[in-house]
Amino acid sequence: MLLHKIDELRSVRREWAGLSVGLVPTMGALHEGHLSLIKKAKETCDKVIVSVFVNPIQFGPSEDYDKYPRTLDRDTELCQKEGVDIVFAPSPDEMYGGGRLSNDTLTYVCPPFFYVNKLCGKSRVGHFDGVCTVVLKLFNIVQPDYAFFGQKDAQQVVIVKKMVKDLNVPVEIIQCPIVREESGLALSSRNKYLSEAGKKDALVLSAILNNIKLCYNRGITDVSALKETAYGFLTDKHDLEYLEILDKNTLEEKKNADNDSIALIACRVDGVRLIDNMYLGG
Ligand code: AMP
C-alpha cells in the first residue's frame, strides 16, 4: 500500500495495535543494500513500513537535493515484492508544512557537537540536524517498535542511537551490515552518478579499508601508521576528504586501534562523494 499522507498512515497504524512494527527509513532509489534492511525487518516484525523521502533539510545548499534519483514507482514495486505493508512517501510540504525550511521557523533536533564535528558532519554542516529531525518525525508518525539502519552510514547510526537514548524514544535500533558489489564497492544510490571509469576508481575506498584491516590483523595497531597505508592507493583521480580510525560506538579518537575500532573513509571520485567503512575487529 502506497501512502502519502500522515493521517492515512496513522489510521492504518492504529489497526495494528498489539503487532510489532518495523520502520526502514530511506530516500528511495532502492538497491540491494536497502532490500537487506527490509528483509531483516520482515524477519523481525509483524508489519513493515518503508519510508521513501528525500529529506530537503539534510542537504546543504550546494549538494545534490534536486538531482537526487527519484524512482518511486520502481521502489514501490520492489517493496511489494518483499512483502512490505506500507510504503510511506510524503511530500516535503506534508512533512514540513510548506513554510520556509530553516531553524528560524522549524523545531530541529541537534545531536551533540562531539558526534557531528567530525567525519561527514565536518563538511556537511547541519546534515545530522536534518537527519535527526526527520528520523524523530518519522518515529513519531510511525511509532515503530524497531527501526533498521545500515552500517554504510556508520556516523548516522551512532548519532541516531544517541538521540534515541538521550530523548528516551521507545524504539530499538537494528543495525545491518554493508552490502557490497562483488567488486567490493559499497552499494549506494549515488553510485548511479559514476561513469564506468569512475566505478573502477571508486574501488579504492574498499581497497584502502581492506588493507587497513589486513595490516591490523597482522599486528599493526598504531592509528597513524594504519592511516598512512592508504597513500599508496590514492591517485589524482581521488580527492580524499577524510580517513579516520575511531571507536565504533563512541566515535572517539584512539592512538592505537583495537577490536572496537572502525575505519571510515570519504572520497570524491568522478565528482561523486562516496563513503565507506569497515570494522577492524570481527
Ligand atoms: P539512504 O536511502 O541512502 O538514506 O539509505 C537508507 C538506509 O539504507 C540507511 O540506513 C543506509 O545506511 C542504508 N544503506 C544504504 N546503502 C547501504 C548498503 N550498501 N548496505 C547496507 N545498508 C545500506
Side-chain angles (χ1 to χ4, degrees):
M1 187 186 329
L2 173 63
L3 299 179
H4 297 286
K5 299 285 178 199
I6 294 168
D7 284 349
E8 292 169 349
L9 182 113
R10 285 212 160 117
S11 90
V12 179
R13 173 70 182 87
R14 269 195 294 275
E15 291 166 15
W16 294 347
L19 299 176
S20 61
V21 176
L23 171 67
V24 182
T26 81
M27 297 203 297
L30 301 185
H31 52 62
E32 286 296 329
H34 299 110
L35 297 186
S36 73
L37 270 55
I38 294 172
K39 288 187 171 98
K40 181 74 183 167
K42 285 289 294 176
E43 274 168 40
T44 314
C45 307
D46 298 320
K47 297 285 183 187
V48 173
I49 298 178
V50 174
S51 59
V52 174
F53 181 60
V54 185
N55 176 32
I57 67 167
Q58 72 185 64
F59 287 78
S62 60
E63 293 182 0
D64 56 346
Y65 175 69
D66 288 329
K67 77 166 194 175
Y68 197 85
R70 287 162 171 86
T71 57
L72 185 59
D73 290 346
R74 184 177 166 274
D75 294 345
T76 309
E77 238 172 71
L78 286 172
C79 286
Q80 253 159 12
K81 276 197 196 130
E82 295 298 332
V84 167
D85 297 279
I86 295 178
V87 175
F88 178 53
S91 66
D93 282 2
E94 180 69 7
M95 285 298 272
Y96 295 116
R100 203 160 62 81
L101 298 179
S102 113
N103 55 8
D104 287 342
T105 51
L106 274 176
T107 304
Y108 273 61
V109 181
C110 301
F113 192 63
F114 179 81
Y115 289 77
V116 298
N117 185 32
K118 57 184 66 174
L119 306 171
C120 296
K122 220 167 172 177
S123 64
R124 304 188 74 188
V125 175
H127 169 69
F128 289 109
D129 298 1
V131 168
C132 283
T133 302
V134 81
V135 168
L136 187 62
K137 281 170 73 71
L138 288 168
F139 287 171
N140 285 333
I141 293 165
V142 172
Q143 302 192 6
D145 301 287
Y146 301 91
F148 298 81
F149 289 83
Q151 186 204 315
K152 165 77 178 12
D153 298 276
Q155 188 178 15
Q156 171 172 280
V157 201
V158 170
I159 288 175
V160 168
K161 281 184 181 161
K162 175 79 177 145
M163 172 186 78
V164 160
K165 182 165 176 277
D166 287 353
L167 301 183
N168 307 97
V169 186
V171 62
E172 188 174 327
I173 304 300
I174 311 277
Q175 182 175 318
C176 303
I178 300 177
V179 178
R180 299 176 180 281
E181 287 186 359
E182 234 171 88
S183 64
L185 180 65
L187 297 187
S188 161
S189 305
R190 290 190 169 96
N191 291 353
K192 287 196 169 78
Y193 304 148
L194 291 168
S195 65
E196 277 310 306
K199 261 191 132 177
K200 287 207 180 95
D201 294 327
L203 296 181
V204 143
L205 280 84
S206 55
I208 286 174
L209 296 173
N210 274 317
N211 189 54
I212 287 178
K213 186 166 173 143
L214 189 77
C215 294
Y216 173 73
N217 286 337
R218 287 184 178 158
I220 302 175
T221 60
D222 181 77
V223 163
S224 313
L226 286 170
K227 281 162 65 169
E228 265 170 37
T229 64
Y231 292 107
F233 290 83
L234 295 167
T235 69
D236 59 358
K237 300 269 192 286
H238 306 110
D239 184 6
L240 182 68
E241 181 180 308
Y242 65 72
L243 173 64
E244 299 290 351
I245 298 173
L246 304 175
D247 183 275
K248 67 178 181 190
N249 300 309
T250 63
L251 304 182
E252 279 166 318
E253 280 184 33
K254 297 174 165 182
K255 199 171 165 332
N256 286 293
D258 59 30
N259 284 346
D260 282 330
S261 295
I262 181 173
L264 310 103
I265 188 168
C267 187
R268 206 169 269 281
V269 178
D270 211 13
V272 186
R273 185 177 178 279
L274 300 171
I275 59 170
D276 198 352
N277 66 78
M278 203 169 279
Y279 288 153
L280 298 194

